[in-house]
Amino acid sequence: MSETKILLESGTNELEIVEFYLDESRAKGDYRGYYGINVAKVLEIIQMPELTEMPEAAHPSVLGAFNLRNEIIPLIDLAGWLHKQRSEKEPPKVIVTEFNRTKSAFLVSGVTRIHRIGWQEVEAPTNYVSSLTVNSITGVVKIAGRITFILDMEKICMDLNPGSGPDMEATDTVREAIAHKTYRVLLADDSTMARKMIANILTTAGFKVHTEENGELALQYLLKVKALAESEGHPLEKYVNLVVTDIEMPSMDGHTLTRRIKDDNDLRHLPVILCSSIITETLHHKGIAVGADDQISKAELGELAPKALKLLEEQAG
């Protein structure tokens, strides 16, 4: 997996997904559904391990936990989470993941291969499609003539651990610091849940927030306000002061959005913070390569407002 991640350059609007499948028992016969997860979140794929029960598990889809190199990792039955009846035609596989500084594992029927695709090939799911998957997918892509759903693993894990929200203590300090200032933030994130949470954090801290659902829409917004600023003779800062963007998004990812901002002579001075579950020490260099001013894991959202204020104060000199 690690070699694959190194080969994928930053800002090319591409991603690599591990495609897997769930065999499902239905009244009209068995069905195989295909799903995907970003390679950047996958540590390894293993056989079914020996499990220890977790009697206090918050959801019945948590099958138990296992020891992997002296780390205790919970195992989630993905079919159970998606309200599907899994059909075992072959020994299942376990996908071990790490995102938001947390390791989890997901039980699936099998794994096909790794696919490299462009984010522009990934479409946002319709409300109907989302409802069929417990609102747990962020994208739909056609691969090898079949439909593959990109799962929102962060939402699944957050729903399983509802008490794991961000520490908001630092937000009060930021609110006091910008009480008499107006800072406008453009936030791009395809996850409705994450978008609302991050917007709430920034709004509570005193920022004015405009949201978009992906990098393409965020760039269109920036180009629109850039043209507006030029036509009205105002500085761009009247409309937007800072950009906060997720990385994994349909149409255009956050790395590509950042690169496009930094390549534009009128936009390049805008500070950009990458805010994503896949920001790790291993992948930090990708954000640097596209010119991000700061990066933060979604596991550390309590630090977002202070980081945003620091960048704006540094820019003001």
Side-chain angles (χ1 to χ4, degrees):
M1 293 292 176
S2 59
E3 292 180 2
T4 308
K5 285 186 277 187
I6 292 170
L7 289 172
L8 192 60
E9 295 179 4
S10 307
T12 60
N13 209 35
E14 292 180 302
L15 80 155
E16 287 168 320
I17 63 167
V18 176
E19 186 189 45
F20 59 90
Y21 54 88
L22 295 174
D23 288 326
E24 179 186 350
S25 294
R26 293 183 175 181
K28 296 182 180 179
D30 289 349
Y31 172 81
R32 175 168 287 183
Y34 291 87
Y35 302 85
I37 177 175
N38 194 328
V39 165
K41 297 177 181 174
V42 178
L43 293 177
E44 56 188 297
I45 298 167
I46 62 175
Q47 303 295 332
M48 182 70 175
E50 183 177 337
L51 293 179
T52 300
E53 287 188 13
M54 296 177 65
E56 297 181 5
H59 195 275
S61 64
V62 180
L63 300 177
F66 61 95
N67 189 315
L68 183 66
R69 290 185 288 278
N70 296 320
E71 286 193 79
I72 303 301
I73 300 176
L75 178 62
I76 299 153
D77 179 4
L78 204 47
W81 172 260
L82 295 171
H83 298 170
K84 301 181 185 301
Q85 182 65 43
R86 185 163 48 85
S87 170
E88 284 203 12
K89 296 182 176 180
E90 56 189 286
K93 293 288 191 297
V94 171
I95 301 177
V96 183
T97 67
E98 182 176 19
F99 50 87
N100 283 340
R101 309 278 198 243
T102 303
K103 293 180 182 177
S104 305
F106 296 88
L107 184 69
V108 303
S109 298
V111 177
T112 56
R113 52 167 288 196
I114 293 174
H115 298 276
R116 178 177 290 193
I117 59 176
W119 274 111
Q120 70 276 8
E121 299 173 55
V122 182
E123 298 180 8
T126 63
N127 291 335
Y128 174 69
V129 170
S130 290
S131 69
L132 296 177
T133 53
V134 204
N135 298 314
S136 295
I137 63 172
T138 58
V140 181
V141 63
K142 194 169 185 179
I143 299 176
R146 59 175 174 262
I147 298 298
T148 299
F149 298 121
I150 309 297
L151 281 170
D152 188 346
M153 313 305 276
E154 294 91 336
K155 179 183 184 299
I156 294 173
C157 287
M158 192 168 290
D159 286 351
L160 287 169
N161 299 281
S164 58
D167 179 7
M168 298 287 284
E169 188 175 330
T171 304
D172 293 335
T173 306
V174 174
R175 186 170 60 245
E176 293 172 8
I178 65 174
H180 303 293
K181 300 176 183 178
T182 300
Y183 287 132
R184 303 183 188 278
V185 176
L186 169 61
L187 167 63
D189 199 303
D190 64 317
S191 167
T192 302
M193 181 184 67
R195 198 167 57 246
K196 288 180 179 177
M197 180 186 296
I198 297 169
N200 179 61
I201 289 170
L202 292 170
T203 302
T204 301
F207 296 96
K208 306 291 185 183
V209 181
H210 175 86
T211 64
E212 296 289 354
E213 295 180 8
N214 60 55
E216 179 66 37
L217 293 173
L219 182 61
Q220 289 176 14
Y221 175 79
L222 287 173
L223 295 177
K224 182 176 72 174
V225 297
K226 169 185 165 180
L228 184 62
E230 290 175 353
S231 66
E232 295 186 348
H234 295 304
L236 185 67
E237 289 76 13
K238 180 179 178 180
Y239 306 95
V240 61
N241 304 100
L242 179 136
V243 177
V244 176
T245 177
D246 187 20
I247 293 177
E248 303 175 278
M249 295 181 289
S251 300
M252 181 185 291
D253 69 11
H255 282 144
T256 304
L257 171 63
T258 303
R259 182 174 56 78
R260 293 286 295 271
I261 290 171
K262 297 304 180 180
D263 284 347
D264 186 299
N265 287 333
D266 298 309
L267 300 176
R268 65 194 317 165
H269 66 280
L270 281 176
V272 178
I273 299 177
L274 292 173
C275 179
S276 170
S277 65
I278 61 171
I279 289 175
T280 62
E281 291 182 9
T282 308
L283 297 177
H284 197 265
H285 71 282
K286 290 191 173 186
I288 295 174
V290 294
D293 297 275
D294 209 337
Q295 303 180 61
I296 183 171
S297 165
K298 284 182 177 175
E300 300 162 340
L301 285 178
E303 299 177 15
L304 178 58
K307 283 179 178 287
L309 177 60
K310 182 173 182 288
L311 285 174
L312 289 167
E313 288 180 336
E314 287 175 351
Q315 187 180 58

